[in-house]
């Protein structure tokens, strides 16, 4: 029955941060190791810890079950490096996706995965839960997200399922032609996963 919200640090400041008087139970900040022109600190609110951040942008949040406990999944895009966001970046100009698994009761990170083709821009745009309770992320890439599949030009749509137990990849698909093909959202029903996007 609790509400979840994933937002950038700037949006969090504009929305008043985590105010217990308004029912906020916890807030989890993610930052990266690269230096940037902004820091996680606001003189008026006292929020943040002064650590540098670089382009950590959430794109989706959902809830699942693991061993009978509620788990929060947050996904998004970053160009920085962070253990909490699945490890090293591909470089300052390269965007990778990330998937973070957290405890719903306190926001503690359980596990995370970097979603990357290892060579070019990879953006995660949405997340859903499979009928079996495993998270599925969708997005678009200029690289190759699936072994043996080459990018034909522009962005290709991709979808990838992760194990709720190990956070390892279960399967991936990548589809696209010579022009841009985007994956934006997904849903599941009866064992099937449906991906919506634009081509």
């Amino acid at each position: 029955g609790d509400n979840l919200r994933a937002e950038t640090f700037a949006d969090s400041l504009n929305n008043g941060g985590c105010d217990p008087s308004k029912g906020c139970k916890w807030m989890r900040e993610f930052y990266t190791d690269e230096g940037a022109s902004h820091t996680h600190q606001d003189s008026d609110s006292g929020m943040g810890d002064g650590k540098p951040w670089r382009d950590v942008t959430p794109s989706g949040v959902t809830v699942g079950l693991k061993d009978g406990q509620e788990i929060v999944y947050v996904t998004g895009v970053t160009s920085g490096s962070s253990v909490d966001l699945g490890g090293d970046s591909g470089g300052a100009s390269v965007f990778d996706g990330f998937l973070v698994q957290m405890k719903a009761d306190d926001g503690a990170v359980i596990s995370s995965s970097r979603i990357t083709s290892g060579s070019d821009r990879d953006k995660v745009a949405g997340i859903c839960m499979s009928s079996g309770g495993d998270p599925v992320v969708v997005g678009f890439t200029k690289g190759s997200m699936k072994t043996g599949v080459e990018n034909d030009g522009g962005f290709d749509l991709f979808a990838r399922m992760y194990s709720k137990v190990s956070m390892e990849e279960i399967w991936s698909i990548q589809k696209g032609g010579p022009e841009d093909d985007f994956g934006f959202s997904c849903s599941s029903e009866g064992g099937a996963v449906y991906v919506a996007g634009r081509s």
Side-chain angles (χ1 to χ4, degrees), residues 164-177:
K164 63 184 176 184
V165 176
S166 66
M167 284 286 282
E168 296 292 328
E169 177 188 339
I170 296 176
W171 55 255
S172 289
I173 63 164
Q174 180 173 335
K175 301 289 184 180

PDB file of all heavy atoms in Angstrom, residues 164-177:
ATOM      1  N   LYS A 164      15.479 -12.926 -10.200  1.00  0.00           N
ATOM      2  CA  LYS A 164      15.241 -12.236  -8.931  1.00  0.00           C
ATOM      3  C   LYS A 164      16.129 -12.793  -7.823  1.00  0.00           C
ATOM      4  O   LYS A 164      16.372 -12.130  -6.812  1.00  0.00           O
ATOM      5  CB  LYS A 164      13.778 -12.368  -8.529  1.00  0.00           C
ATOM      6  CG  LYS A 164      13.339 -13.799  -8.264  1.00  0.00           C
ATOM      7  CD  LYS A 164      11.866 -13.892  -7.957  1.00  0.00           C
ATOM      8  CE  LYS A 164      11.417 -15.343  -7.798  1.00  0.00           C
ATOM      9  NZ  LYS A 164       9.955 -15.458  -7.592  1.00  0.00           N
ATOM     10  N   VAL A 165      16.645 -14.010  -8.008  1.00  0.00           N
ATOM     11  CA  VAL A 165      17.488 -14.657  -7.003  1.00  0.00           C
ATOM     12  C   VAL A 165      18.940 -14.222  -7.140  1.00  0.00           C
ATOM     13  O   VAL A 165      19.570 -13.750  -6.196  1.00  0.00           O
ATOM     14  CB  VAL A 165      17.386 -16.195  -7.095  1.00  0.00           C
ATOM     15  CG1 VAL A 165      18.340 -16.851  -6.098  1.00  0.00           C
ATOM     16  CG2 VAL A 165      15.952 -16.650  -6.860  1.00  0.00           C
ATOM     17  N   SER A 166      19.503 -14.350  -8.351  1.00  0.00           N
ATOM     18  CA  SER A 166      20.932 -14.085  -8.558  1.00  0.00           C
ATOM     19  C   SER A 166      21.219 -12.747  -9.229  1.00  0.00           C
ATOM     20  O   SER A 166      22.361 -12.298  -9.249  1.00  0.00           O
ATOM     21  CB  SER A 166      21.540 -15.190  -9.411  1.00  0.00           C
ATOM     22  OG  SER A 166      20.986 -15.158 -10.729  1.00  0.00           O
ATOM     23  N   MET A 167      20.191 -12.101  -9.814  1.00  0.00           N
ATOM     24  CA  MET A 167      20.340 -10.882 -10.610  1.00  0.00           C
ATOM     25  C   MET A 167      21.218 -11.111 -11.836  1.00  0.00           C
ATOM     26  O   MET A 167      21.777 -10.178 -12.412  1.00  0.00           O
ATOM     27  CB  MET A 167      20.876  -9.733  -9.765  1.00  0.00           C
ATOM     28  CG  MET A 167      19.832  -9.116  -8.855  1.00  0.00           C
ATOM     29  SD  MET A 167      18.632  -8.102  -9.738  1.00  0.00           S
ATOM     30  CE  MET A 167      19.588  -6.614  -9.990  1.00  0.00           C
ATOM     31  N   GLU A 168      21.343 -12.368 -12.252  1.00  0.00           N
ATOM     32  CA  GLU A 168      22.037 -12.702 -13.493  1.00  0.00           C
ATOM     33  C   GLU A 168      21.035 -12.683 -14.643  1.00  0.00           C
ATOM     34  O   GLU A 168      19.833 -12.907 -14.459  1.00  0.00           O
ATOM     35  CB  GLU A 168      22.679 -14.088 -13.394  1.00  0.00           C
ATOM     36  CG  GLU A 168      23.772 -14.201 -12.339  1.00  0.00           C
ATOM     37  CD  GLU A 168      25.007 -13.400 -12.688  1.00  0.00           C
ATOM     38  OE1 GLU A 168      25.300 -13.266 -13.899  1.00  0.00           O
ATOM     39  OE2 GLU A 168      25.673 -12.906 -11.772  1.00  0.00           O
ATOM     40  N   GLU A 169      21.539 -12.437 -15.848  1.00  0.00           N
ATOM     41  CA  GLU A 169      20.692 -12.425 -17.039  1.00  0.00           C
ATOM     42  C   GLU A 169      20.104 -13.811 -17.302  1.00  0.00           C
ATOM     43  O   GLU A 169      20.812 -14.812 -17.252  1.00  0.00           O
ATOM     44  CB  GLU A 169      21.508 -11.968 -18.244  1.00  0.00           C
ATOM     45  CG  GLU A 169      20.749 -11.992 -19.551  1.00  0.00           C
ATOM     46  CD  GLU A 169      21.640 -11.718 -20.746  1.00  0.00           C
ATOM     47  OE1 GLU A 169      22.735 -11.132 -20.562  1.00  0.00           O
ATOM     48  OE2 GLU A 169      21.249 -12.093 -21.864  1.00  0.00           O
ATOM     49  N   ILE A 170      18.799 -13.853 -17.591  1.00  0.00           N
ATOM     50  CA  ILE A 170      18.135 -15.093 -17.992  1.00  0.00           C
ATOM     51  C   ILE A 170      18.043 -15.167 -19.506  1.00  0.00           C
ATOM     52  O   ILE A 170      18.370 -16.182 -20.113  1.00  0.00           O
ATOM     53  CB  ILE A 170      16.726 -15.193 -17.361  1.00  0.00           C
ATOM     54  CG1 ILE A 170      16.839 -15.267 -15.835  1.00  0.00           C
ATOM     55  CG2 ILE A 170      15.972 -16.405 -17.902  1.00  0.00           C
ATOM     56  CD1 ILE A 170      15.492 -15.263 -15.117  1.00  0.00           C
ATOM     57  N   TRP A 171      17.591 -14.088 -20.135  1.00  0.00           N
ATOM     58  CA  TRP A 171      17.553 -14.011 -21.594  1.00  0.00           C
ATOM     59  C   TRP A 171      17.585 -12.560 -22.048  1.00  0.00           C
ATOM     60  O   TRP A 171      17.292 -11.648 -21.287  1.00  0.00           O
ATOM     61  CB  TRP A 171      16.344 -14.735 -22.189  1.00  0.00           C
ATOM     62  CG  TRP A 171      14.980 -14.330 -21.685  1.00  0.00           C
ATOM     63  CD1 TRP A 171      14.181 -15.023 -20.834  1.00  0.00           C
ATOM     64  CD2 TRP A 171      14.241 -13.138 -22.028  1.00  0.00           C
ATOM     65  NE1 TRP A 171      13.001 -14.343 -20.613  1.00  0.00           N
ATOM     66  CE2 TRP A 171      13.005 -13.192 -21.329  1.00  0.00           C
ATOM     67  CE3 TRP A 171      14.497 -12.031 -22.833  1.00  0.00           C
ATOM     68  CZ2 TRP A 171      12.042 -12.192 -21.429  1.00  0.00           C
ATOM     69  CZ3 TRP A 171      13.544 -11.017 -22.927  1.00  0.00           C
ATOM     70  CH2 TRP A 171      12.320 -11.116 -22.234  1.00  0.00           C
ATOM     71  N   SER A 172      17.948 -12.384 -23.318  1.00  0.00           N
ATOM     72  CA  SER A 172      17.931 -11.063 -23.946  1.00  0.00           C
ATOM     73  C   SER A 172      17.404 -11.192 -25.365  1.00  0.00           C
ATOM     74  O   SER A 172      17.589 -12.213 -26.011  1.00  0.00           O
ATOM     75  CB  SER A 172      19.335 -10.450 -24.016  1.00  0.00           C
ATOM     76  OG  SER A 172      19.812 -10.062 -22.763  1.00  0.00           O
ATOM     77  N   ILE A 173      16.742 -10.128 -25.836  1.00  0.00           N
ATOM     78  CA  ILE A 173      16.409 -10.008 -27.254  1.00  0.00           C
ATOM     79  C   ILE A 173      16.872  -8.642 -27.728  1.00  0.00           C
ATOM     80  O   ILE A 173      16.964  -7.698 -26.944  1.00  0.00           O
ATOM     81  CB  ILE A 173      14.900 -10.179 -27.530  1.00  0.00           C
ATOM     82  CG1 ILE A 173      14.091  -9.068 -26.850  1.00  0.00           C
ATOM     83  CG2 ILE A 173      14.405 -11.543 -27.113  1.00  0.00           C
ATOM     84  CD1 ILE A 173      12.674  -8.947 -27.370  1.00  0.00           C
ATOM     85  N   GLN A 174      17.190  -8.555 -29.003  1.00  0.00           N
ATOM     86  CA  GLN A 174      17.544  -7.287 -29.620  1.00  0.00           C
ATOM     87  C   GLN A 174      16.983  -7.278 -31.025  1.00  0.00           C
ATOM     88  O   GLN A 174      17.199  -8.215 -31.791  1.00  0.00           O
ATOM     89  CB  GLN A 174      19.060  -7.093 -29.642  1.00  0.00           C
ATOM     90  CG  GLN A 174      19.499  -5.777 -30.291  1.00  0.00           C
ATOM     91  CD  GLN A 174      20.986  -5.514 -30.154  1.00  0.00           C
ATOM     92  OE1 GLN A 174      21.620  -6.010 -29.235  1.00  0.00           O
ATOM     93  NE2 GLN A 174      21.539  -4.719 -31.051  1.00  0.00           N
ATOM     94  N   LYS A 175      16.236  -6.230 -31.365  1.00  0.00           N
ATOM     95  CA  LYS A 175      15.607  -6.130 -32.671  1.00  0.00           C
ATOM     96  C   LYS A 175      15.807  -4.739 -33.235  1.00  0.00           C
ATOM     97  O   LYS A 175      15.739  -3.742 -32.506  1.00  0.00           O
ATOM     98  CB  LYS A 175      14.096  -6.409 -32.579  1.00  0.00           C
ATOM     99  CG  LYS A 175      13.737  -7.779 -32.022  1.00  0.00           C
ATOM    100  CD  LYS A 175      14.073  -8.895 -32.994  1.00  0.00           C
ATOM    101  CE  LYS A 175      13.625 -10.246 -32.458  1.00  0.00           C
ATOM    102  NZ  LYS A 175      13.952 -11.335 -33.394  1.00  0.00           N
ATOM    103  N   GLY A 176      16.037  -4.662 -34.536  1.00  0.00           N
ATOM    104  CA  GLY A 176      16.176  -3.356 -35.159  1.00  0.00           C
ATOM    105  C   GLY A 176      16.587  -3.440 -36.603  1.00  0.00           C
ATOM    106  O   GLY A 176      17.106  -4.458 -37.056  1.00  0.00           O
ATOM    107  N   GLY A 177      16.347  -2.370 -37.310  1.00  0.00           N
ATOM    108  CA  GLY A 177      16.758  -2.247 -38.696  1.00  0.00           C
ATOM    109  C   GLY A 177      17.779  -1.140 -38.843  1.00  0.00           C
ATOM    110  O   GLY A 177      18.424  -0.737 -37.866  1.00  0.00           O
TER     111      GLY A 177
END
